[in-house]
Amino acid sequence: MAPKGPNSSPWIVVGQAAAALAVGMGVGRFVYTPVLPLMIAQAHVSQQAAGLIATANYFGYLLGAIAGIIVPRLLQSTLTLRTSLVVLTVTLAGMPLTDNVTDWLLLRLVAGVASALIFIVAASSMFRRLHGYGSHLIGWGFGGVGAGIAASGFLVLLLGRVSNWNAAWFASAVLAAILSTLCWTLKTGPPVSTTTVTPTHPGPLLWFVLILISYSLEGVGYIVAGTFLVAAIDQSAPGLTGANAWTLVGLAALPSTAFWAWLAYRFRRATLLIAALVAQAIGIALPALFGGAAPALISAFLFGATFLGIATLALAIGSHLRFPRATALLTTGYSVGQILGPLIVTPFVSHGYREALLLGAAAVVAAAAAAGTLRMKAPDA
């Protein structure tokens, strides 16, 4: 049933949800990626510390996701959304007020919790209020993540030329505050239940295990690129700033979910998932194998065009398999993969990012292999 009322226009819902996702994910979670090279150069952050700071944020995200599962009422509350928006903005503003790694770890941990709650509340609201409209609208809503990435990347690009890492964090906090005003009145409510049927034979269980493995491995590989891609491009493409490439990631991500949703009307989701994973693996590996601006830009485009689409396709497959608590389990596996990714590759980044990116690409290839097995086993996935 389509929502009714004076503010029930589906595009208003899309715009508000997109703004929330831009704050929670595009800025609050991913601005660390373009700021990282500035912190390494100006604040003398080591690569090992950079990986730990990233991991703290991913661990916070996992805690936020688990909190949403344990206390479902959190996801139905406007207070949760607004409190999380304020907390996230404050943590961004707090980053340049200290030069202590422990403080940064704590700030990014809290930011991760807030990001997860914003994401789940906004996504649940969007799924509920846009039920009955075309899935392309939900795709555009998720495109807010890409818009936030592009906006914050462009902001850091400008400030990196005229100021320092401190100003980049302060500016990201201002951007988050502005975007928060756009989604402040987003209506929340109980999320739509999509998983109620328990499998009665081993087939569906095996199929779900395969998509869980694939999505968890994607969490490992994607977050390696999401953390280190900008710094790697700064090293491999002299004259092309990584922040430029990160802006391209956001611009490519902006329409990507709507694009993959459109393709899902014409092809099996498992087929599209394999294609997206292979394309992403190529994108992650390119800066490790080839120097120069062209491979870096292709890498940024492929990464941006696939990572949101992969998430959308994997969650849709999990829902289609009707496995109990599929979305919660897949999100948990993805979050665990994001925690493990930086920990696995941090020992390899002391002298550059080549090995880290290749390991990330290998994890995504393994995810594609698991998705390929799913496609062969599940007739309609």
Side-chain angles (χ1 to χ4, degrees), residues 231-247:
I233 289 175
D234 276 341
Q235 287 187 352
S236 66
L240 175 67
T241 63
N244 243 331
W246 192 245
T247 301

Side-chain angles (χ1 to χ4, degrees), residues 131-263:
H131 182 67
Y133 293 104
S135 61
H136 67 286
L137 289 179
I138 294 176
W140 283 113
F142 277 109
V145 178
I149 290 174
S152 59
F154 184 68
L155 193 62
V156 173
L157 173 65
L158 292 179
L159 291 173
R161 293 175 175 174
V162 299
S163 190
N164 56 23
W165 69 274
N166 306 77
W169 280 111
F170 277 128
S172 70
V174 172
L175 177 60
I178 293 172
L179 291 170
S180 294
T181 65
L182 301 179
C183 60
W184 196 255
T185 59
L186 176 68
K187 294 182 179 179
T188 60
V192 175
S193 175
T194 59
T195 55
T196 57
V197 178
T198 302
T200 57
H201 58 85
L205 174 60
L206 172 62
W207 302 343
F208 181 77
V209 168
L210 287 170
I211 190 61
L212 177 62
I213 291 172
S214 178
Y215 197 46
S216 300
L217 287 168
E218 158 65 5
V220 174
Y222 130 86
I223 209 59
V224 169
T227 303
F228 297 113
L229 185 62
V230 168
I233 289 175
D234 276 341
Q235 287 187 352
S236 66
L240 175 67
T241 63
N244 243 331
W246 192 245
T247 301
L248 178 58
V249 168
L251 292 174
L254 178 58
S256 66
T257 45
F259 172 72
W260 290 106
W262 175 74
L263 287 179

